[in-house]
Amino acid sequence: MNQPIGMKLSEQLRERIEERIVVGEYPPGARLDEMELASTFGVSRTPIREALIQLASAGFVDTRPRRGSVVAQIPPERLREMFDVMAELEAVCARLAATHSTEPDRAALEAAHRACEEALRADDPDAYYRLNERFHLAIYASCHNGFLCEQATQLHRRLRPYRRLQLRVPGRMSSSFEEHAQVVEAILRGDGELAASRLRAHVAIQGNRFADLVKAMAPPKEQAGAGGGRTGS
């Protein structure tokens, strides 16, 4: 299993298991057996156990007595609500970043934006996603409101597999980068309302289309659950 530079094996496994949960390969109620997952991904049980702990912390997995780790039930309407809240949180972050950011903050934001461009040119959606996350975190940090930054970061991590998958839609990386450019422009010129409006729209796009994306990427029903998960009894 190839490991991206700077990324722990358990984090890489968490991403791969998250993705299988999102597209329905590991459906709600499926038991995630450590031994089976270790065999599926060709690793030892230790990083699998660490990945499952991360997934449980993010709410993707429930830990149940005598059943171990089980895929949590996340209704689509609940996810839509989360994206709605995410859009508003990020809008507030952008508004505050436009008026509270320092020169180092703005330099970090521009650097994160340029890094996304490199991933776009390489046509690497997974690299773009990780750099995209850095871009959004740079905006959160620039607002200089610790509580808001914590809440936005927590929800961002909760939604990251859905945000990552939509970058694989043809043309979405390019559109995402252009939306980022508009947000950066508004922040750098200190226009808080425009920055908020643009970032809200950027996140809303992701929420509005995630259901169709997940449906399109879901495996055939007869294959659902293949690859290491067991449906609950």
Side-chain angles (χ1 to χ4, degrees):
M1 188 170 172
N2 295 325
Q3 183 174 345
I5 296 174
M7 191 175 190
K8 291 178 61 177
L9 179 57
S10 62
E11 293 172 343
Q12 185 186 9
L13 289 164
R14 184 210 71 231
E15 283 194 354
R16 295 184 68 179
I17 297 170
E18 272 180 349
E19 183 170 317
R20 294 188 181 201
I21 290 173
V22 169
V23 301
E25 189 169 344
Y26 297 159
R31 186 167 70 88
L32 300 176
D33 183 81
E34 289 182 11
M35 288 291 290
E36 291 185 7
L37 290 170
S39 176
T40 296
F41 295 110
V43 298
S44 69
R45 292 178 64 180
T46 298
I48 290 291
R49 187 175 301 115
E50 293 174 355
L52 292 176
I53 290 172
Q54 293 171 28
L55 288 166
S57 177
F60 284 96
V61 167
D62 294 328
T63 302
R64 301 178 182 176
R66 296 183 297 281
R67 291 197 64 196
S69 298
V70 176
V71 177
Q73 174 72 53
I74 309 173
E77 55 273 19
R78 177 70 168 179
L79 285 168
R80 290 189 185 280
E81 293 171 352
M82 292 166 70
F83 268 107
D84 287 344
V85 173
M86 184 82 263
E88 294 304 321
L89 285 177
E90 294 214 21
V92 177
C93 287
R95 181 184 297 110
L96 292 178
T99 55
H100 290 60
S101 60
T102 63
E103 283 298 327
D105 291 332
R106 292 190 283 273
L109 179 60
E110 290 184 282
H113 184 51
R114 288 193 298 271
C116 286
E117 184 174 21
E118 294 176 8
L120 172 63
R121 289 177 177 174
D123 194 27
D124 187 340
D126 289 330
Y128 184 93
Y129 168 72
R130 283 186 280 275
L131 294 166
N132 169 74
E133 184 171 46
R134 184 187 303 172
F135 173 83
H136 285 269
L137 293 177
I139 294 176
Y140 305 165
S142 296
C143 76
H144 291 280
N145 182 309
F147 180 75
L148 176 60
C149 183
E150 290 170 6
Q151 296 303 306
T153 300
Q154 181 178 357
L155 188 51
H156 182 101
R157 289 175 176 166
R158 185 66 181 80
L159 292 171
R160 59 188 166 193
Y162 304 96
R163 299 178 78 151
R164 182 172 71 249
L165 280 175
Q166 55 92 26
L167 290 171
R168 298 183 185 178
V169 174
R172 180 53 196 157
M173 270 197 298
S174 179
S175 298
S176 171
F177 180 76
E178 291 303 319
E179 291 159 18
H180 283 185
Q182 293 176 6
V183 172
V184 171
E185 189 271 336
I187 290 176
L188 292 182
R189 78 183 206 202
D191 192 331
E193 291 307 315
L194 183 60
S197 176
R198 288 176 173 177
L199 192 52
R200 180 187 294 109
H202 171 64
V203 177
I205 288 172
Q206 301 168 19
N208 289 339
R209 68 191 304 176
F210 90 90
D212 291 337
L213 171 64
V214 169
K215 182 178 179 181
M217 295 188 67
K221 289 184 178 180
E222 62 270 17
Q223 294 180 8
R230 290 179 181 169
T231 56
S233 56

